[in-house]
Amino acid sequence: MEKTSKVYKLSPFLDEHGVMRVDSRLSAAPYATFSFKYPIILPRDHRMTELLLDAYYRKILHGNQETVVNELRQQFLISKLRTVVNRVIKDFQYCEIKKAKPIVPRMAPTYSSFHSVDTPDTSSDWTKCREKVDCFIHLFINKSSINLDVTYSLLSKSCKLAICRFIARRGAPCEIYTDNGTNFQGASR
């Protein structure tokens, strides 16, 4: 073997089947298998190596990269094995889907549905006819949405109407949790 070869430092030899193997220091290990003592040398850019990696990756049921590396190193010697394993694993569509993370959608812009209309007769007297009006907001939180409903009193009747409007828009809920206010108690009765 020429000294300029990439595998020269591995002290390779050919076995009885003509397969190139590494002569390692494990030859004296009594319980190690022949393939473990003398791993087969494989080129990293060869199609056969990719097919072998593919078979091992399927054999371990799409496990992690280090498991594939560990299993291969017990019988084969491949230079820069982790980069080859990464390249082969990247081509699996199943693994790409399994590792995919959902993209969180952008939140919709909020808008206000309140507006005021100035009529010519009342626009000049707008400041004089302003009166303080109490309003209350019922907050309905659904699995998929948040609904706000405005009422002008805390009476049970207003609460029932707000719940009816919510049911008309979103359907009847299975359960309703409240802050146990008197209007909710009256509405439940």
Side-chain angles (χ1 to χ4, degrees):
M1 170 142 324
E2 296 179 17
K3 291 186 177 185
T4 58
S5 174
K6 292 180 180 179
V7 293
Y8 177 77
K9 292 182 180 178
L10 300 174
S11 60
F13 71 96
L14 294 176
D15 66 359
E16 64 270 5
H17 301 290
V19 177
M20 189 179 296
R21 295 181 176 269
V22 177
D23 189 13
S24 68
R25 296 183 299 161
L26 294 174
S27 59
Y31 299 108
T33 62
F34 182 77
S35 296
F36 187 75
K37 290 179 191 178
Y38 309 105
I40 298 172
I41 300 172
L42 292 175
R44 66 184 178 111
D45 296 329
H46 199 270
R47 177 73 177 143
M48 182 65 187
T49 306
E50 289 180 4
L51 292 173
L52 184 71
L53 286 167
D54 182 77
Y56 269 83
Y57 192 55
R58 290 175 192 267
K59 179 183 170 186
I60 63 163
L61 303 173
H62 303 274
N64 62 10
Q65 172 194 354
E66 289 303 313
T67 307
V68 177
V69 170
N70 182 41
E71 290 294 319
L72 283 165
R73 283 201 174 147
Q74 292 179 20
Q75 295 183 8
F76 304 99
L77 181 84
I78 304 169
S79 65
K80 298 182 183 177
L81 181 59
R82 282 189 178 85
T83 57
V84 179
V85 170
N86 278 339
R87 186 179 69 223
V88 170
I89 288 175
K90 188 179 75 173
D91 293 337
F92 273 91
Q93 185 65 32
Y94 170 79
C95 296
E96 288 295 316
I97 293 170
K98 190 169 83 172
K99 293 175 186 173
K101 293 186 174 132
I103 298 171
V104 179
R106 189 170 161 233
M107 207 172 195
T110 57
Y111 62 93
S112 174
S113 61
F114 302 105
H115 60 279
S116 63
V117 177
D118 290 341
T119 56
D121 356 327
T122 59
S123 61
S124 58
D125 297 329
W126 178 251
T127 54
K128 295 178 187 173
C129 65
R130 251 193 229 174
E131 64 181 67
K132 187 176 180 183
V133 178
D134 290 333
C135 65
F136 305 93
I137 297 176
H138 290 267
L139 175 68
F140 297 99
I141 301 174
N142 199 357
K143 280 186 178 178
S144 60
S145 63
I146 296 175
N147 299 290
L148 301 174
D149 196 89
V150 179
T151 57
Y152 295 102
S153 70
L154 283 177
L155 297 174
S156 298
K157 183 178 179 181
S158 299
C159 180
K160 286 194 292 187
L161 289 173
I163 292 172
C164 286
R165 285 190 295 268
F166 172 75
I167 291 172
R169 282 191 300 267
R170 299 289 178 188
C174 295
E175 293 179 282
I176 296 177
Y177 297 99
T178 68
D179 62 353
N180 211 18
T182 55
N183 56 345
F184 292 113
Q185 290 175 357
S188 74
R189 273 189 252 120

